[in-house]
Amino acid sequence: MSSHSPHGQSPLRTVQVLGGGNAGSSAHVRSLAAGLVARGVRVTVCAPSEAERLHDFTGAGAEHVHVPRSSDPGSVAALRAACTDADVVHAHGLHASFRAVLALGGRSTPLVVTWHSRARAEGARAHLLRLLERRVARAAAVVLGTTSDLVDRARRTGAKDARLAGVALPGPGAAAEPEDEEQPHSKVRAELGAIGRPLLMAVGSLDRHRGYDLLLDATHAWCRLDPVPLVVIAGEGPLRPALQHRIEAEELPVRLLGRRDDVGALLAAADLALLPGGEEARSVLAQEALHARVPLVAAQTGGIRELVGEAAVLVPPGDAPAFAEAVVRLLDDRQRYERLRDLGTRQAATWPTEDETVAQVLSVYDELTQPLPMI
């Protein structure tokens, strides 16, 4: 089998650097690694061991090197060693990118950076993040942004080359659910306690920026409906005790499911997908919902409008009454509900495939590694 080699010599070797905190970027790297390996590229993934357990980079044909999330000297030294002899280093997310900049200090190895979402912080930490962004943007040979806003931000921050990057939704979740799957759907709904009532679903880590407090606020309005919808949230995180306390104290029809590995089946059984907050530029939930023909109600944050177009109901961020009202109206309007399902299918068809995503990234690598023409 012939290996992809822009040099006409040994196969191209790339090191993918992950912080391990974002499920979307980790899944993207798993997909990217599989596609690159299939094209004869040698791939090393530097990520915490937990990310390897969850995403199985070695199963995609890549070599995995454990590198902790911290930027301490030991972590940077491990990354520096892993990047020896790499043709291209590709880092995902701000903190992983900063570690890569430190690890490559003084080397001529080209660095590609993908910004999947905008890092958020307040006070002194916000100033530190701006400094990190500037350092990373200026050090990178190419910055790939998953939305136009992120590309513009990279340019303002000092990137010499910033481009819009396709990021496909990897794996079987990208396939639309067959229409005759009513039996499994009924089973899932029965297990959740949602027979004869609407099932509304949110997915994501239980963190402050996800907007779950707003979601619980909105749930009060749905308690007046007949039948009362059941809200389920799949995910785990530091807010779980506080959210559970509110659910019990306010007697809300909400279930925290914890971390689940059957999100695709849960979502396919739901009536609506809910995205009450979050700064994820290409929300995995939004993509999976549209692929599964499940209408989406989302707060208009990050790059959600660019991602879903007219195929979802978008409401102002931080507005619980508007979010609650949007859900009530959609549940009450079957014609609009069915129209959104069809629009979702059409919108999903415009997104890049995994193959197109890998091809774009590989063309960037080729640009950066082709030898200069002889004069």
Side-chain angles (χ1 to χ4, degrees):
M1 173 180 159
S2 63
S3 293
H4 179 95
S5 175
H7 311 97
Q9 300 165 0
S10 59
L12 184 74
R13 177 168 180 258
T14 174
V15 174
Q16 305 287 321
V17 186
L18 262 175
N22 182 301
S25 55
S26 299
H28 170 59
V29 169
R30 171 58 159 83
S31 167
L32 198 55
L36 290 170
V37 168
R39 288 163 173 78
V41 178
R42 291 172 56 212
V43 180
T44 300
V45 177
C46 293
S49 293
E50 183 190 4
E52 164 63 14
R53 281 196 300 276
L54 287 172
H55 297 279
D56 188 23
F57 304 115
T58 51
E63 178 193 3
H64 171 252
V65 175
H66 169 65
V67 176
R69 292 181 64 180
S70 69
S71 292
D72 64 49
S75 177
V76 172
L79 183 54
R80 187 174 177 83
C83 291
T84 302
D85 299 329
D87 296 300
V88 181
V89 174
H90 188 166
H92 300 262
L94 182 59
H95 295 285
S97 302
F98 181 63
R99 278 196 293 283
V101 170
L102 295 178
L104 291 176
R107 290 185 184 174
S108 59
T109 310
L111 173 64
V112 176
V113 165
T114 295
W115 285 359
H116 293 265
S117 57
R118 183 182 168 188
R120 300 270 175 181
E122 296 171 6
R125 186 163 163 73
H127 178 64
L128 175 62
L129 281 181
R130 283 194 296 274
L131 292 176
L132 292 188
E133 278 186 335
R134 192 174 305 134
R135 177 86 183 269
V136 166
R138 292 178 177 177
V142 176
V143 177
L144 300 175
T146 57
T147 67
S148 301
D149 285 349
L150 288 170
V151 174
D152 291 343
R153 184 172 182 81
R155 286 176 181 146
R156 288 197 306 272
T157 312
K160 47 187 168 279
D161 187 343
R163 312 177 193 182
L164 191 62
V167 176
L169 177 68
E177 289 290 321
E179 290 295 328
D180 59 354
E181 287 282 304
E182 196 52 48
Q183 195 61 39
H185 294 181
S186 299
K187 185 171 179 237
V188 170
R189 293 176 73 100
E191 287 169 359
L192 295 173
I195 294 293
R197 63 195 295 200
L199 176 61
L200 316 181
M201 183 170 182
V203 180
S205 56
L206 305 184
D207 295 310
R208 186 74 55 197
H209 73 280
R210 295 280 184 180
Y212 291 130
D213 277 323
L214 179 146
L215 181 57
L216 297 191
D217 291 343
T219 303
H220 283 279
W222 307 330
C223 289
R224 298 192 289 271
L225 300 178
D226 182 22
V228 176
L230 174 65
V231 179
V232 296
I233 303 172
E236 198 52 84
L239 279 191
R240 184 179 183 118
L243 293 173
Q244 190 63 51
H245 176 75
R246 273 198 66 184
I247 290 165
E248 292 169 7
E250 299 167 32
E251 298 182 344
L252 297 174
V254 179
R255 286 188 59 190
L256 303 180
L257 303 181
R259 187 177 282 114
R260 299 282 294 238
D261 57 9
D262 59 344
V263 166
L266 293 172
L267 186 59
D271 294 289
L272 293 180
L274 307 178
L275 194 63
E279 296 297 334
E280 200 182 354
R282 289 187 70 87
S283 163
V284 173
L285 172 64
Q287 292 178 77
E288 290 191 331
L290 268 59
H291 273 298
R293 292 173 55 79
V294 177
L296 172 72
V297 177
Q300 190 167 332
T301 60
I304 190 73
R305 168 67 76 185
E306 190 174 339
L307 179 66
V308 302
E310 300 298 319
V313 178
L314 302 184
V315 298
D319 191 336
F323 196 90
E325 178 63 17
V327 168
V328 171
R329 289 174 63 186
L330 190 51
L331 288 174
D332 199 39
D333 188 342
R334 196 68 205 180
Q335 193 173 358
R336 189 178 182 216
Y337 183 93
E338 290 299 332
R339 183 167 163 270
L340 280 173
R341 294 184 74 191
D342 292 339
L343 284 172
T345 300
R346 270 183 251 159
Q347 181 70 14
T350 70
W351 296 334
T353 64
E354 286 188 84
D355 220 40
E356 289 164 345
T357 299
V358 173
Q360 183 195 19
V361 168
L362 193 51
S363 72
V364 172
Y365 295 171
D366 279 352
E367 273 181 53
L368 297 175
T369 57
Q370 291 286 6
L372 292 172
M374 300 290 288
I375 298 176

